[in-house]
Amino acid sequence: MEKVKLFATWSSPFVKRIIWALKLKNIEHEIIYEDLANKSPELLKYNPIHKKVPVLVHNEIPICESLVILEYIDETWKDARPLLPKDPLDKANQRFWAKFSDDQVLPSFYGYIMKQGNEKEEAKETTLAHLKRVEQLVSEKKFLSGESVGFLDLAFGWLAENSRPLEVITGLKLFDEDTFPNLCAWRDKFLEVPAIKESWPDQETLIAKYQEINLSKGK
Amino acid sequence: MEKVKLFATWSSPFVKRIIWALKLKNIEHEIIYEDLANKSPELLKYNPIHKKVPVLVHNEIPICESLVILEYIDETWKDARPLLPKDPLDKANQRFWAKFSDDQVLPSFYGYIMKQGNEKEEAKETTLAHLKRVEQLVSEKKFLSGESVGFLDLAFGWLAENSRPLEVITGLKLFDEDTFPNLCAWRDKFLEVPAIKESWPDQETLIAKYQEINLSKGK
């Protein structure tokens, strides 16, 4: 009897990719929502190094780091809707771009929103350059992973999910249909996938969350 | 006919893990040494995103990011001395700790050496805490990957290779046999593996390299 628990917060971009993977593969699971201001003893026990979500606990064994968890899920439930291809080169490409998402695009994107003055301008230029790379990448196929949603789409899902709420709250146009037509088309197709759609957060709630973050920063 | 080229510098900790993997698997390869102050058009063509080494070029197709390259090598030449285990949980653990090496241990270790004043003290505390984690990890088995050298040993190989030269040049004891007996024993065992030993850089040359870096920083 498999027992799968996921330690989560409702808005973490790293958590959402795991929820989507579990849904795509029809893996029964329980989600435990953490209050990061008051972390549970279980979270601290299961992820003593980073003390962060997501943590997947499979039959009492914890696995941490969201991209590591995605690969674990794909290898453990390997017959149910594969997320990564079998070809080593395709795999390497998806791993490379997933790392690019987390190390480059995500920090510059949030920097663009949160920073001020010159730093904001710099983050904007970097973000646009990164988005151009992703635009080019998605132009070659239907989804980032290929003909159907896979590992790389889940890795970049945070971009699809957060772009509109962040545009509303910041008044910044993060990506538009003229400059990034393929990226916008990808976002819309991604949202149409049932497993994604049914766990899409209410956009008003996301907007309220970002407003709260901005207020707590004294702006 | 397989053609494998590796774009490299002789001292990069990210390059060395690839050279060790190619040697462990007996993969014939050519190494192209780059001058990072004057990068070759080939390097810029093959790694336009990061413009960094290592880049593995396999039959004219480039693969970038050292941990991604290691997995690519392991999956492509899968019968020759596997680097990663088959079990998804063991794999996830090795991937988690390899990421910990690159995101946490390596930056704090170099910070400890290069920074000054309070920042140096902070980096020292962080580095010691990280090394304690690795000490604990290696205590459970012969090598970090298990009974023989594998993925996680190659990922942490930079620590084995650089610790003594860096101690000589900085006068800082980075890890010693009293505090980190298992880590020291692992370093010695790692160095005894023929594929590692034969590509171990001359320690005097490494020392000279770090002296040059320090001089160029005006210290």
Side-chain angles (χ1 to χ4, degrees):
Chain A
M1 175 67 190
E2 302 280 357
K3 201 171 171 194
V4 177
K5 288 193 283 191
L6 178 67
F7 287 78
T9 61
W10 74 273
S11 64
S12 158
F14 303 108
V15 165
K16 289 308 293 283
R17 48 180 69 155
I18 311 302
I19 294 178
W20 294 326
L22 293 169
K23 280 182 178 276
L24 281 169
K25 285 184 175 268
N26 268 319
I27 299 164
E28 216 175 292
H29 60 278
E30 178 194 353
I31 300 183
I32 295 124
Y33 287 99
E34 284 285 327
D35 170 9
L36 294 185
N38 185 20
K39 294 172 185 176
S40 75
E42 286 76 21
L43 177 63
L44 303 179
K45 179 183 86 178
Y46 286 132
N47 190 357
I49 308 284
H50 302 303
K51 306 176 178 69
K52 283 181 185 168
V53 295
V55 179
L56 187 84
V57 181
H58 182 202
N59 298 332
E60 297 307 318
I61 310 282
I63 300 109
C64 303
E65 289 287 358
S66 67
L67 295 178
V68 174
I69 297 172
L70 277 190
E71 295 225 31
Y72 174 81
I73 289 174
D74 205 32
E75 289 165 1
T76 303
W77 290 272
K78 59 180 183 290
D79 297 328
R81 207 185 181 303
L83 300 176
L84 271 166
K86 282 202 166 65
D87 178 64
L89 186 63
D90 284 354
K91 259 188 175 172
N93 277 330
Q94 294 202 35
R95 286 174 179 144
F96 172 87
W97 288 106
K99 187 168 163 53
F100 182 71
S101 151
D102 290 7
D103 293 356
Q104 310 283 330
V105 193
L106 203 148
S108 77
F109 194 90
Y110 281 99
Y112 176 30
I113 291 152
M114 301 297 185
K115 286 178 179 166
Q116 299 299 328
N118 274 353
E119 280 191 338
K120 192 182 199 77
E121 270 312 295
E122 272 169 37
K124 181 184 174 181
E125 291 311 311
T126 313
T127 305
L128 288 176
H130 290 337
L131 291 178
K132 268 180 205 154
R133 299 280 187 189
V134 188
E135 170 75 10
Q136 211 168 1
L137 195 65
V138 80
S139 75
E140 295 155 22
K141 44 213 155 171
K142 194 173 168 193
F143 289 100
L144 283 163
S145 304
E147 278 310 296
S148 60
V149 159
F151 180 78
L152 192 54
D153 297 279
L154 303 190
F156 267 109
W158 64 268
L159 188 61
E161 188 175 87
N162 289 283
S163 61
R164 283 184 182 147
L166 286 173
E167 281 177 5
V168 170
I169 182 171
T170 59
L172 298 167
K173 197 75 192 161
L174 297 165
F175 56 94
D176 61 44
E177 306 206 353
D178 290 335
T179 324
F180 301 112
N182 296 318
L183 204 44
C184 291
W186 165 76
R187 174 176 60 187
D188 297 342
K189 269 179 293 185
F190 183 68
L191 176 52
E192 280 161 24
V193 175
I196 311 295
K197 195 172 190 169
E198 67 191 40
S199 57
W200 203 254
D202 175 62
Q203 300 283 290
E204 292 305 317
T205 318
L206 256 186
I207 291 169
K209 175 212 151 191
Y210 287 117
Q211 271 163 341
E212 202 180 307
I213 292 173
N214 262 7
L215 285 173
S216 73
K217 288 186 76 193
K219 278 181 244 166
Chain B
M1 176 66 191
E2 303 280 357
K3 202 172 171 192
V4 177
K5 288 193 283 192
L6 178 67
F7 287 77
T9 61
W10 73 272
S11 64
S12 157
F14 304 109
V15 165
K16 289 307 294 283
R17 48 179 70 155
I18 311 302
I19 294 177
W20 294 326
L22 293 169
K23 280 183 178 275
L24 281 169
K25 284 184 176 268
N26 268 319
I27 300 164
E28 216 174 292
H29 61 278
E30 177 193 353
I31 300 183
I32 295 122
Y33 287 99
E34 284 284 328
D35 170 8
L36 295 185
N38 185 21
K39 294 173 185 176
S40 75
E42 286 76 23
L43 177 63
L44 302 179
K45 179 183 86 179
Y46 286 132
N47 191 357
I49 309 284
H50 303 302
K51 305 176 177 71
K52 283 181 185 168
V53 295
V55 180
L56 187 84
V57 181
H58 182 202
N59 297 333
E60 298 306 319
I61 311 281
I63 301 109
C64 304
E65 290 284 1
S66 66
L67 295 178
V68 174
I69 298 172
L70 277 190
E71 295 224 31
Y72 175 80
I73 290 174
D74 205 32
E75 289 165 0
T76 302
W77 290 272
K78 60 179 183 290
D79 296 329
R81 208 188 179 301
L83 300 175
L84 272 165
K86 282 202 165 66
D87 178 65
L89 185 63
D90 284 354
K91 260 187 174 172
N93 277 329
Q94 294 202 34
R95 287 175 179 142
F96 172 86
W97 287 107
K99 188 169 163 52
F100 182 71
S101 152
D102 290 7
D103 293 356
Q104 310 282 329
V105 193
L106 203 147
S108 77
F109 194 89
Y110 281 100
Y112 175 30
I113 291 151
M114 301 296 184
K115 286 178 179 165
Q116 299 298 329
N118 273 354
E119 279 191 339
K120 193 183 198 76
E121 272 309 298
E122 272 169 36
K124 181 184 173 179
E125 291 310 312
T126 314
T127 305
L128 288 176
H130 290 336
L131 291 178
K132 268 181 205 153
R133 300 277 187 190
V134 187
E135 169 76 9
Q136 211 168 2
L137 195 64
V138 80
S139 74
E140 295 155 22
K141 44 213 155 173
K142 193 173 167 192
F143 289 100
L144 283 162
S145 304
E147 278 310 295
S148 61
V149 159
F151 181 78
L152 192 55
D153 298 278
L154 303 190
F156 267 108
W158 64 269
L159 188 61
E161 188 175 87
N162 289 282
S163 62
R164 282 184 182 147
L166 286 173
E167 281 177 4
V168 170
I169 183 171
T170 59
L172 297 168
K173 197 76 193 160
L174 297 164
F175 55 93
D176 60 46
E177 306 206 350
D178 290 334
T179 324
F180 301 113
N182 297 319
L183 205 44
C184 291
W186 166 76
R187 174 176 60 185
D188 297 342
K189 270 179 292 187
F190 184 68
L191 176 53
E192 280 162 22
V193 175
I196 311 294
K197 194 172 190 168
E198 68 191 41
S199 56
W200 202 253
D202 175 63
Q203 302 282 289
E204 293 305 316
T205 317
L206 256 186
I207 290 169
K209 176 214 151 191
Y210 287 116
Q211 271 162 340
E212 203 179 305
I213 292 173
N214 262 6
L215 284 173
S216 73
K217 288 186 76 193
K219 278 182 245 165

